[in-house]
Structure formats: C-alpha cells, structure tokens
Amino acid sequence: MTGGLKLGQALSISWNDSKKGNVPRALALLLALTAVLASARASLPVSGSGETISVIVRKLPGSGAQPERVVEGLGGEVRDHIGLIDAFVADVPDDELVHLRRSAGIHSVTPNGRVQLLSENGGYAPESDPGSMLNTSNSVKAPYYWHKGFTGQGVTVALIDSGVVPVGGLTGSGKVINGADLSFESQADHLRYLDTFGHGTHMAGIIAGRDAGPLTEENFAGIAPDARVLSVKVANANGAADVSQVLAAIDWVVQHRNDNGMNVRVLNLSFGTDGTQAYTLDPLAYAAEVAWHRGIVVVVAGGNAGFGTPKLNNPAYDPYVIAVGASDTRGTYDTSDDTVPEWSSKGDGARNPDLVAPGKSIVSLRAPGSNVDLSYP
C-alpha cells in the first residue's frame, strides 16, 4: 500500500478553531497589549523639577545623529537604540522635555513607562479556559478515578506520532521512552526522536503529562498522569508519513511491548487515511487488529472529515479498535449541552465512533519551534 497518511486529525488538536475564523488567543492578547500601550502614553509635563526620567525618542527621517546631540546638550544621556522604529532610549531631565520635543529632527518623545501584559492572574488560567486539561479532566470525571487509584501507574501508552520533545510536564523519570524513530528525520542526530511537527508532544501531554507535585488545579496533568509514554516517531516536520512507516511502527510496538517491563497496554493512533477498501482487506486496519489480539487496546481518532465523507478514517473504521470522535463541552461540566462539532467524522451508519471525548480547542503541551508552534502561535 503506497498511500500517504496525515497526522493532525486527532480529537485533541487545539488549532482547528484557528482555521474557522475565531480570534486566536495570541491575537487577542496582542490586541489587549495594544490597548495597554495606548493607555500608557502619559502626557509629558510642561515643567518639572529637573528629575531625570527615561523616554523613548523617535527620530525624523534624515535627521542623522542630531537628536542624540540635542539630548546630550540638554544634560541627558543616550542609551539603547531601537533600529526597528528608528528611535533610542534616553535619560533626560524632566524640565527639558518640552524643549526636546520642539527640537529639529525629533518625531516624538514618549515616557518609557512599564507595560503589563493582560491575562488573568498574570498568566494562563486553566480554571477559566474551557479547553484546559483541568477542565477537560473534570468533564470526563478523571479526578474521581485518580482518587480511586487509577492514574495509569505501571501502564505504558504507545504513541505512534511525530515524536515527543522533553518539555516541562513530560520530563519525570521514565515518563517518555523513545522507541524506534522510523521517520525520514531519523538520520539527523539533532532531529532523531524529537517532535518537529508539534502534534506528538501535544498528544503526550493530553495522555500522560504531569507537572511535579500533587494533582492539584495549579499543576498540569493529562488524563492518565502516572502512565508512561512510548514514543515511536513516524512523521516529519510536515506531519506526514507513509502507511508503510506506520505499519512498521505498529509492528515494532507489538514486538517490544514487554521489553524491560514496559507493559504497553494502549496504542494511540491520532491519525488516519482514507479507507477506500473493506477493513478486512486493508493492511493498516489489519495491523491494528493484530495489536488488539496481542493484548493492546488500540485507540484511534475517528477523523476530522478530511476526506469529504462521513465514513471514519482508516484504521478507525475497523470494528476491533476503539474509534473516538470529538465533542464540544461548551465550557461546562454538564454533558446535556454537549454537541459533536461538524468537523468530527460521524460515521456512515455501518461503522460509527464508539464514543466521543472533549476535542475542541484542547490546551496541551507545546513543542517550541515546531511547525505547529510557529504556524499557529
């Protein structure tokens, strides 16, 4: 089978909404910051006490070094230059500011005030973000099971994806185990095992991420925070892989599932390809079945309707695997108002998702500098 396979169809991708016209969080923050900068423009004093203050001096085109000489002539001191806007920072006596503003070659003089980025509690607030792992875990009642002792302890989840970067939340002792790197980047020492696309790290955080310390609202935690992740990399920086690479990865997981006490009990496949033939004939679906019969629970994303058909992706359309669709919690813990987003594959009536789980704008761990991180900041 020579068809290609595309990652990024998982139920947990947080960048789907950025393609649907919603204002990304980063853009909203930028707009808020612009408002802060505008409001921070304090008016310059007409007269002062001679106290030195820090200002930003913008120069007019062609003014050369004249503005700098004016500042020095007024008893001030020129500091850092800002080439992007043809300006410089200067310390100037406040009673000379009016004179400075009226000098030749000066476009504007602005107080170098403090700027505070606008966000709740001075940072990301998981309790108020509908897509945070805190709210996602609560919506599926995961903390209830944690308190019963079901945290994933002793279980390894195999993740065939784009690799995993050891970022905070995934750096505990033995948290991430690197299996085979079957991607086209495996021959590059600086890329081997690492997530240049950004999807694998995101998924690993959802599955088993955990900050050091207790399971509290302040600490990041995935759904199975004490599980280990076996990362088998197949995709490159574009999130693409051949089906043959995935077949080799599933085979590797099955062959090595009990190495060194790993105890691989779950295989996560957050990708898919178009199932154009019966699952009984398809090699990818068959490989997933073999893993199932070898004692591994195979969990597959149903798909994001990427092929223009309600049919589930391959291998999700195989009835042996657990096919998962996405739900939109609408920011509440009450499931009565949940809906299935239009982009989540519904199935064709013969084979439908076995269950749905929160899948809209889920916030997880990022791989700094990866394709997704740079494309959807």
Side-chain angles (χ1 to χ4, degrees), residues 26-44:
L27 178 57
L29 180 59
L30 179 60
L31 294 173
L33 177 56
T34 302
V36 172
L37 287 170
S39 64
R41 287 175 174 264
S43 59
L44 295 173

Side-chain angles (χ1 to χ4, degrees), residues 57-64 66-67 70 102-108:
V57 181
R58 283 187 59 195
K59 304 195 294 185
L60 291 172
S63 60
Q66 178 63 22
V70 170
R102 295 173 179 172
S103 298
I106 303 264
H107 175 277
S108 61

Side-chain angles (χ1 to χ4, degrees), residues 257-325:
R257 64 190 184 281
N258 293 320
D259 286 4
N260 301 316
M262 274 197 301
N263 190 30
V264 175
R265 298 298 307 279
V266 181
L267 172 59
N268 187 88
L269 306 176
S270 290
F271 50 74
T273 188
D274 193 4
T276 58
Q277 58 186 342
Y279 78 88
T280 54
L281 301 175
D282 188 86
L284 181 56
Y286 179 61
E289 274 191 35
V290 171
W292 180 279
H293 288 300
R294 297 292 178 88
I296 301 175
V297 176
V298 182
V299 182
V300 185
N304 287 356
F307 300 104
T309 170
K311 186 176 181 179
L312 298 185
N313 288 175
N314 175 21
Y317 72 160
D318 189 308
Y320 280 89
V321 305
I322 297 178
V324 186

Side-chain angles (χ1 to χ4, degrees), residues 27-354:
L27 178 57
L29 180 59
L30 179 60
L31 294 173
L33 177 56
T34 302
V36 172
L37 287 170
S39 64
R41 287 175 174 264
S43 59
L44 295 173
V46 176
S47 61
S49 61
E51 180 181 354
T52 299
I53 66 170
S54 178
V55 295
I56 299 172
V57 181
R58 283 187 59 195
K59 304 195 294 185
L60 291 172
S63 60
Q66 178 63 22
E68 285 91 334
R69 289 193 290 267
V70 170
V71 167
E72 293 171 347
L74 295 174
E77 181 179 357
V78 175
R79 296 194 176 277
D80 300 326
H81 283 77
I82 309 170
L84 181 67
I85 58 173
D86 196 15
F88 60 90
V89 180
D91 293 335
V92 182
D94 64 0
D95 54 4
E96 297 289 358
L97 290 174
V98 173
H99 188 181
L100 178 61
R101 294 180 68 187
R102 295 173 179 172
S103 298
I106 303 264
H107 175 277
S108 61
V109 180
T110 307
N112 186 19
R114 293 184 179 274
V115 175
Q116 180 177 344
L117 300 181
L118 293 183
S119 59
E120 290 192 56
N121 301 324
Y124 171 62
E127 65 277 1
S128 62
D129 191 308
S132 71
M133 282 309 302
L134 170 64
N135 287 326
T136 300
S137 296
N138 284 331
S139 69
V140 299
K141 307 299 188 289
Y144 170 83
Y145 292 97
W146 295 345
H147 296 314
K148 296 290 185 179
F150 298 103
T151 62
Q153 182 71 39
V155 172
T156 300
V157 179
L159 174 65
I160 298 178
D161 215 286
S162 58
V164 176
V165 173
V167 295
L170 292 172
T171 55
S173 178
K175 170 61 74 174
V176 177
I177 304 165
N178 285 321
D181 186 338
L182 303 171
S183 72
F184 296 125
E185 298 174 341
S186 63
Q187 302 306 306
D189 292 341
H190 67 294
L191 299 178
R192 190 177 300 118
Y193 306 124
L194 299 182
D195 184 7
T196 55
F197 181 54
H199 185 270
T201 303
H202 184 88
M203 289 303 306
I206 292 171
I207 294 168
R210 178 170 183 175
D211 283 341
L215 292 172
T216 63
E217 293 186 358
E218 290 76 23
N219 291 329
F220 178 88
I223 297 299
D226 289 333
R228 294 181 298 266
V229 174
L230 171 62
S231 173
V232 181
K233 179 177 176 178
V234 295
N236 60 13
N238 294 321
D242 290 340
V243 170
S244 59
Q245 291 170 283
V246 178
L247 292 173
I250 296 175
D251 179 66
W252 192 95
V253 169
V254 172
Q255 295 297 325
H256 297 274
R257 64 190 184 281
N258 293 320
D259 286 4
N260 301 316
M262 274 197 301
N263 190 30
V264 175
R265 298 298 307 279
V266 181
L267 172 59
N268 187 88
L269 306 176
S270 290
F271 50 74
T273 188
D274 193 4
T276 58
Q277 58 186 342
Y279 78 88
T280 54
L281 301 175
D282 188 86
L284 181 56
Y286 179 61
E289 274 191 35
V290 171
W292 180 279
H293 288 300
R294 297 292 178 88
I296 301 175
V297 176
V298 182
V299 182
V300 185
N304 287 356
F307 300 104
T309 170
K311 186 176 181 179
L312 298 185
N313 288 175
N314 175 21
Y317 72 160
D318 189 308
Y320 280 89
V321 305
I322 297 178
V324 186
S327 67
D328 179 0
T329 66
R330 296 178 177 268
T332 70
Y333 298 151
D334 185 358
T335 57
S336 64
D337 64 349
D338 289 4
T339 60
V340 175
E342 62 178 23
W343 46 261
S344 182
S345 297
K346 312 295 192 300
D348 57 6
R351 174 63 172 142
N352 304 321
D354 296 298

